[in-house]
Amino acid sequence: MNYCLYKLQFDSPVHFGPSDTALSLYSSEGHFCADTLFSALCHSALSLGGPAQVETLCQWAREGTLLLSDGLLWQGEQFYLPKPCWNGKFSVEVSTRQRKALKALNWVPVSQFAAFAASLRGGEPYNALQTSEAGRNVEVERAKVGRQQEDTEPYYVGAYVFREDAGLYVVAGCGTDEQQSAVAKLLAGLGWSGIGGKVSSGYGKFHIIQTVPLSAACTGDEGWLYDRLTDENANHQLLLTTSLPQEDEMDAALENACCQVVRRGGFVQSGTDANGARKKRTQYFLAAGAVLERRFSGGLFDVGGSETAPVYRYGKPVFLGVEL
């Protein structure tokens, strides 16, 4: 598997509505999940290569030769990982302020992951107070234009604005150089149209500021990431993708696992569907940051609820082998 890291910088606010609330229009998270990315790549493939390229993308996902992480945080020169879902054994008392900061912590810098893991094993407490915000949530007022005699009504859209020195990165695993080149092209094209919600209003646009092929020759954080991506025999596996084991691997995957689940829903938006937007089948995925003892394959799930054309939700994982 060839792994590549794509560092994205956003040129506009983003709207990544949380799927666990009915009010997702009014709030936004600061990252996207891999199923959102895969759906957006499929739209990009349809625009650039037609239905055949979409089917090719789906086939790669089914075969497991296309793996995608969630959108993960970068800030300054640091790459971050989702905070592991793990019950630490703290040997010393920490202040109330520090305890609250640890509870609110969502991301851990790659360069400090070893120190964070040591703190979970009872070592020196990790200083979560050193973290700074990568962006801010905002509310944008918009106007719903009424038809005929209806009044124009204002409404609000929740958005997230990244700082100039922050954004998201994606780790993509591909089986061949040809697949890697195709994914890079689709990702670059996606930057023009945007990812997430409200892209028709200009949200979610980005450009790739760095492409890093991960290999044994890499050093620093990139070298550390490559070593862990390829370590299938580590005691623990940290999930970088909001994803789901297939039914026949569920029991083995969840044995002694420490994880949280997140609801994945949404609607099918299709200009060719006479019935308009259709509700996708709701599923509950393992959230990125889950810690398992072994890797699973995951799947590409048909969630369209229609016999006319399948609608897929991406659920293939990227793992890091770590010691906790």
Side-chain angles (χ1 to χ4, degrees):
M1 183 68 69
N2 300 324
Y3 289 101
C4 196
L5 183 154
Y6 300 95
K7 193 174 179 181
L8 315 180
Q9 186 168 55
F10 287 87
D11 306 309
S12 64
V14 301
H15 176 73
F16 303 135
S19 61
D20 58 352
T21 172
L23 302 176
S24 60
L25 177 65
Y26 306 108
S27 60
S28 176
E29 297 179 317
H31 71 285
F32 56 77
C33 296
D35 60 339
T36 297
L37 174 60
F38 182 78
S39 295
L41 288 176
C42 285
H43 282 286
S44 185
L46 184 63
S47 300
L48 296 175
Q53 190 163 351
V54 177
E55 179 51 39
T56 297
L57 204 62
C58 292
Q59 185 62 31
W60 292 346
R62 278 190 289 265
E63 293 171 350
T65 55
L66 172 60
L67 302 178
L68 298 169
S69 75
D70 285 4
L72 308 173
L73 178 68
W74 67 264
Q75 187 171 358
E77 298 301 318
Q78 294 270 19
F79 294 111
Y80 288 73
L81 298 172
K83 182 178 74 172
C85 181
W86 190 254
N87 295 319
K89 300 176 181 179
F90 299 103
S91 58
V92 296
E93 186 65 26
V94 296
S95 68
T96 302
R97 186 180 174 213
Q98 174 75 320
R99 192 181 302 112
K100 288 181 177 179
L102 280 169
K103 186 177 181 180
L105 187 69
N106 293 317
W107 304 97
V108 178
V110 169
S111 60
Q112 298 176 23
F113 190 85
F116 182 84
S119 74
L120 295 178
R121 294 192 294 268
E124 186 71 20
Y126 180 76
N127 181 15
L129 297 173
Q130 63 191 320
T131 354
S132 61
E133 293 296 328
R136 58 192 174 88
N137 288 99
V138 298
E139 277 190 345
V140 180
E141 184 176 358
R142 303 190 64 83
K144 177 182 178 182
V145 179
R147 298 179 180 178
Q148 296 178 355
Q149 302 301 319
E150 295 179 6
D151 293 334
T152 298
E153 297 178 358
Y155 68 95
Y156 293 90
V157 175
Y160 190 86
V161 180
F162 284 98
R163 287 171 29 175
E164 289 185 2
D165 65 341
L168 299 175
Y169 73 94
V170 173
V171 175
C174 296
T176 66
D177 291 340
E178 178 189 0
Q179 291 174 342
Q180 195 171 75
S181 176
V183 169
K185 182 180 178 181
L186 291 175
L187 194 60
L190 178 61
W192 289 95
S193 57
I195 183 172
K198 293 296 179 180
V199 293
S200 60
S201 299
Y203 286 48
K205 296 185 184 300
F206 64 85
H207 60 280
I208 301 172
I209 60 172
Q210 189 178 9
T211 300
V212 184
L214 300 175
S215 69
C218 289
T219 59
D221 287 355
E222 292 88 345
W224 187 92
L225 284 171
Y226 176 77
D227 290 343
R228 274 45 183 192
L229 285 165
T230 54
D231 188 357
E232 299 185 14
N233 299 316
N235 290 342
H236 299 100
Q237 300 293 328
L238 177 66
L239 185 62
L240 299 187
T241 307
T242 300
S243 52
L244 183 68
Q246 297 187 65
E247 203 169 312
D248 61 353
E249 58 183 358
M250 185 74 74
D251 290 342
L254 295 184
E255 185 178 0
N256 298 323
C258 191
C259 60
Q260 292 181 323
V261 296
V262 60
R263 179 183 178 274
R264 304 305 295 161
F267 291 85
V268 181
Q269 300 293 339
S270 173
T272 60
D273 194 330
N275 297 320
R278 288 183 285 118
K279 196 176 186 332
K280 295 180 184 178
R281 177 164 61 92
T282 297
Q283 292 176 292
Y284 289 86
F285 277 28
L286 303 184
V291 178
L292 299 88
E293 290 188 344
R294 58 187 61 83
R295 300 186 177 191
F296 61 82
S297 298
L300 191 66
F301 304 98
D302 186 354
V303 295
S306 170
E307 297 180 359
T308 55
V311 176
Y312 295 115
R313 180 177 290 131
Y314 182 87
K316 307 287 286 188
V318 172
F319 285 101
L320 290 183
V322 296
E323 303 292 335
L324 293 177

